[in-house]
Amino acid sequence: MVIDAGRVEEIRVKHDALAPVLDERRLRLWAASEAKALGRGGIAAVTAATGIRGKRIAIGIRELVELEEEPPTLPARRQRIRRRGAGRKALAAADATLWSDLEALLDPVTRGDPESPLRWTSKGTRALAEQLRESGHRVSARTVAKLLHEHGYSLQGTRKTIEGRQHPDRNAQFEHINRQTKAFHAAGHPVISVDTKKKELVGEFANKGREWQPAGEPTKVQVHDFPSDAVGKAIPYGVYDVGRNEGWVSVGVDHDTAAFAVASIRAWWNTMGKRAYGSARELYIVADAGGSNAYRNRLWKAELQKFADDAGLELSISHMPPGTSKWNKIEHRLFSHISQNWRGRPLVDHETIVSLIANTTTATGLKVKARLDRRQYRTKVKVPNAVMRALAIVPRRFHGEWNYKINSRDHA
């Protein structure tokens, strides 16, 4: 049967109008209905007019017959476009070793070859796909990403959880500090947590975090954080009053020494502590095991003795077990909030740093005072044995190196 050329042209015009707005299934059914209407030779004529393959049109004709025999009960928009199982099989199903080879690349030490070049490079999807192609797999970076998600992989950073070897008396020391804190609070005596915050470069340098700014107007900072470009450095030493939820920060400009640490504690006592605990004759200090307030630091103990003598206080000191500085209360009660308060802001000068620290507050009522300490502190100061023997230090029974008392010699 010869089909009129005008009829074929009419079908072509309809196809050009409908193809952009119809999905695959509807276009197939329309082509099938046109072929059925033409009768014998209709499939070939519609194929010539539209470019739709005859196989697809034949499938559409069968679907039309099925629809005539059993009309659909679901709305047309919810009808399946492709028959079940149609389309190309997933690459992982066709390539039996694809996933195992990919998994080996992800962890070459335990699952694959330790000589894999990806052991020493970034394992991005492009690099993984390239390695798989070199092994004979036909795969793209997009397919690699899809496979990783299907098998429960995601992009993740590292997490600080491994603390190294723990001291056998770590928990016992925590319990000792807790008991001492409760006892001092019950007696109305102050308890402070002390430590040095991370040193900061002063200048127009990038600071982690974000803050609200007019759209498209970010604060401009230097591209590189070279120490040589810095105005100076800031060394914040903090004192956190556990009972009153108050903080004091001395911002040093020289060196983080034991003398600077004790000078900061002295400044807190003269500015805040004496006013709040005027009748107190004892002070409990909780410090880290290392740094300027380390339990092995002779200058730390010598300077504390001077402070005890001048203030007329009995000082009880406990050090956190080695490797547990993050558990010191000052870290999450004071320093974390300071970092949150100055996030996204360049620390352009010392005055800005002091102001940002002093304006740190929390919903739980934290109050902070700060002061710039421009004094110079000598490093590598040696404390003679004679000076150490003269200190009024009384070690506690439990770990006397961590827990000790320094009595006031002038107010005994």
Side-chain angles (χ1 to χ4, degrees):
M1 177 181 177
V2 178
I3 298 176
D4 181 56
R7 179 71 171 127
V8 174
E9 178 61 20
E10 181 183 337
I11 293 172
R12 186 190 65 76
V13 173
K14 287 182 180 179
H15 172 266
D16 292 345
L18 293 173
V21 297
L22 294 182
D23 60 34
E24 181 183 333
R25 180 173 186 270
R26 286 187 171 90
L27 188 63
R28 180 174 69 241
L29 292 177
W30 167 80
S33 66
E34 292 289 349
K36 278 188 68 178
L38 291 175
R40 185 177 178 183
I43 292 178
V46 172
T47 296
T50 64
I52 300 175
R53 288 169 37 185
K55 183 179 179 180
R56 284 181 59 196
I57 297 174
I59 292 173
I61 292 174
R62 288 198 297 271
E63 289 177 329
L64 288 175
V65 174
E66 292 173 359
L67 290 172
E68 290 172 359
E69 294 175 353
E70 187 176 350
T73 56
L74 294 176
R77 61 184 176 86
R78 295 181 58 188
Q79 293 296 311
R80 175 178 290 276
I81 294 174
R82 292 186 177 184
R83 60 185 172 80
R84 293 185 183 276
R88 188 175 63 180
K89 289 186 177 180
L91 188 59
D95 189 342
T97 63
L98 176 59
W99 170 247
S100 60
D101 289 350
L102 174 56
E103 193 175 25
L105 289 175
L106 293 172
D107 193 353
V109 176
T110 59
R111 298 192 186 97
D113 179 11
E115 297 301 320
S116 166
L118 286 186
R119 176 175 167 80
W120 314 111
T121 61
S122 174
K123 298 177 185 177
T125 53
R126 293 181 186 275
L128 290 167
E130 184 177 349
Q131 284 291 306
L132 289 170
R133 285 194 292 270
E134 290 180 4
S135 300
H137 299 283
R138 297 179 61 186
V139 63
S140 65
R142 185 186 295 273
T143 301
V144 168
K146 182 180 178 182
L147 278 173
L148 291 174
H149 283 295
E150 288 176 353
H151 286 80
Y153 280 75
S154 62
L155 288 173
Q156 299 181 41
T158 56
R159 179 180 296 175
K160 294 182 178 180
T161 54
I162 302 173
E163 296 184 1
R165 289 191 303 172
Q166 296 181 2
H167 194 283
D169 291 332
R170 162 185 151 141
N171 290 337
Q173 177 67 357
F174 285 158
E175 292 169 1
H176 174 81
I177 292 173
N178 188 48
R179 286 193 301 269
Q180 287 288 92
T181 299
K182 289 181 177 179
F184 270 76
H185 280 160
H189 298 315
V191 177
I192 59 174
S193 170
V194 301
D195 195 14
T196 307
K197 194 181 185 301
K198 182 177 74 72
K199 300 177 182 66
E200 302 286 349
L201 287 178
V202 181
E204 295 181 335
F205 300 117
N207 198 0
K208 290 183 179 180
R210 296 180 294 179
E211 67 167 350
W212 292 104
Q213 296 278 15
E217 299 181 20
T219 302
K220 296 180 180 179
V221 296
Q222 296 200 42
V223 175
H224 302 290
D225 296 347
F226 294 137
S228 57
D229 294 332
V231 176
K233 60 183 176 182
I235 308 168
Y237 190 93
V239 178
Y240 176 69
D241 186 335
V242 178
R244 296 175 62 85
N245 192 27
E246 294 178 346
W248 168 269
V249 179
S250 290
V251 180
V253 299
D254 189 35
H255 296 99
D256 180 22
T257 68
F260 170 60
V262 177
S264 302
I265 297 173
R266 187 191 296 267
W268 165 80
W269 174 253
N270 292 332
T271 306
M272 301 176 72
K274 190 185 298 184
R275 185 181 305 172
Y277 304 97
S279 60
R281 285 294 168 260
E282 293 186 52
L283 170 63
Y284 185 39
I285 303 173
V286 180
D288 284 352
S292 57
N293 43 226
Y295 68 92
R296 292 178 177 173
N297 192 323
R298 292 161 67 110
L299 183 61
W300 159 256
K301 295 175 182 178
E303 291 292 330
L304 282 178
Q305 182 69 74
K306 293 178 185 177
F307 170 53
D309 295 343
D310 295 341
L313 291 171
E314 292 181 355
L315 307 180
S316 291
I317 298 95
S318 288
H319 293 269
M320 303 291 288
T324 62
S325 60
K326 69 177 181 179
W327 300 109
N328 199 350
K329 288 190 182 296
I330 194 171
E331 296 291 341
H332 47 89
R333 296 277 186 89
L334 178 61
F335 288 163
S336 63
H337 299 300
I338 292 173
S339 298
Q340 184 75 5
N341 191 51
W342 70 25
R343 70 189 187 280
R345 301 187 186 186
L347 308 177
V348 294
D349 51 44
H350 289 100
E351 289 70 24
T352 297
I353 294 173
V354 171
S355 296
L356 288 170
I357 293 174
N359 284 283
T360 300
T361 57
T362 66
T364 57
L366 173 68
K367 296 179 181 178
V368 185
K369 289 186 177 182
R371 182 178 296 170
L372 188 62
D373 185 346
R374 294 189 179 276
R375 287 174 289 182
Q376 303 295 306
Y377 293 92
R378 289 170 52 210
T379 59
K380 300 179 181 179
V381 176
K382 294 185 178 181
V383 180
N385 292 334
V387 173
M388 293 301 297
R389 286 193 295 267
L391 301 181
I393 293 183
V394 180
R396 301 287 187 184
R397 283 186 177 181
F398 178 72
H399 276 287
E401 76 279 16
W402 292 345
N403 306 292
Y404 47 90
K405 187 175 183 179
I406 300 180
N407 293 312
S408 170
R409 294 177 297 195
D410 297 340
H411 298 77

